[in-house]
Amino acid sequence: MLNIVIFGPPGAGKGTQSQLLIDQFNLIHLSTGDILRGEIAQGTELGIKAKSIMDRGDLVPDEVVIGMIRSILEKNPNAKGFIFDGFPRTTVQAESLDQMLNELNTSISTMLSLDVDVDELTKRLLERGKSSGRADDANESIIRNRIKEYNKKTAPLKKFYAKQNKLQSITGVGSVDSIYTKICEAIDQIK
Ligand code: AMP
């Protein structure tokens, strides 16, 4: 199986690159942000609880997102692989993911970390906010909070995967295609 963690701060291009990867490698895309927004759109209890947290740019509780991932993994026993986009975001989530994959006799193949500086991220998110309709893209102080949460709770996961020799850092600036080429080269390294 090819199990990829696509990693990076909000606005790094994880979703865009994930789309290209799932088409080429036939992977199942697991974006916790997309799943949560789906819950909000459907007005579920989970969605109602998550909305105010997401609108502030904070992280939803670990057990909520871990439960969502567990249920999708269980429903796809014959998958060729998964691409984890926006998950894990904390050490607890990363440890749970290792454990869940271990139970399925598989593991993370690589973490592809997209590096983009703060000014560029803010610019991209504000631009995306004009059309995404996302409250958390529309306001600069919320964007700053999301980046702060990332630096505090999520960025340390690079060390977590580096210890397992799985971290590959990629510059996330340039054309979509040029970044995707670097991603494919990184995947070739592990094959
Ligand atoms: P994203 O679409 O990945 O930018 O996620 C949007 C928002 O959803 C985040 O700012 C969090 O509030 C929430 N979220 C998404 N994934 C996670 C996760 N793995 N852990 C906690 N909160 C998450």
Side-chain angles (χ1 to χ4, degrees):
M1 275 174 104
L2 180 62
N3 297 315
I4 297 171
V5 172
I6 188 133
F7 192 79
K14 301 186 292 292
T16 305
Q17 296 296 332
S18 293
Q19 280 310 320
L20 299 173
L21 282 167
I22 51 175
D23 290 346
Q24 181 164 348
F25 295 98
N26 214 353
L27 305 173
I28 292 180
H29 184 210
L30 279 157
S31 158
T32 38
D34 284 352
I35 301 167
L36 288 164
R37 281 184 289 278
E39 296 281 339
I40 293 173
Q42 286 172 43
T44 65
E45 201 182 324
L46 193 161
I48 292 163
K49 279 192 194 143
K51 186 176 183 327
S52 56
I53 301 174
M54 291 168 73
D55 284 355
R56 288 197 301 270
D58 291 338
L59 295 186
V60 305
D62 286 330
E63 60 273 18
V64 172
V65 283
I66 291 168
M68 290 176 349
I69 294 286
R70 184 187 302 281
S71 114
I72 297 176
L73 291 177
E74 283 169 358
K75 281 183 196 139
N76 292 282
N78 299 318
K80 284 195 165 181
F82 296 94
I83 175 151
F84 298 94
D85 166 3
F87 181 92
R89 262 178 155 100
T90 64
T91 304
V92 169
Q93 293 177 24
E95 286 168 348
S96 298
L97 180 59
D98 273 359
Q99 199 182 329
M100 289 188 279
L101 292 175
N102 192 27
E103 284 163 21
L104 298 170
N105 292 317
T106 186
S107 59
I108 291 300
S109 316
T110 187
M111 173 202 247
L112 305 173
S113 175
L114 297 172
D115 295 334
V116 180
D117 73 50
V118 176
D119 289 347
E120 173 69 14
L121 293 172
T122 311
K123 199 178 88 191
R124 285 186 191 178
L125 291 171
L126 286 171
E127 189 57 37
R128 184 172 79 182
K130 290 180 190 164
S131 56
S132 71
R134 283 176 56 169
D136 61 347
D137 283 345
N139 172 309
E140 202 166 330
S141 79
I142 295 170
I143 290 173
R144 268 201 299 275
N145 187 40
R146 289 165 68 197
I147 295 172
K148 195 180 98 207
E149 285 280 271
Y150 170 82
N151 286 330
K152 193 164 104 195
K153 299 175 182 164
T154 308
L157 294 184
K158 282 195 239 178
K159 276 203 186 122
F160 180 94
Y161 287 97
K163 275 192 199 144
Q164 299 185 14
N165 284 322
K166 290 177 177 169
L167 168 67
Q168 299 197 77
S169 294
I170 291 161
T171 303
V173 186
S175 71
V176 170
D177 285 349
S178 70
I179 298 165
Y180 188 61
T181 302
K182 287 185 271 179
I183 284 183
C184 290
E185 284 165 7
I187 292 173
D188 278 343
Q189 296 287 320
I190 55 154
K191 276 192 165 167

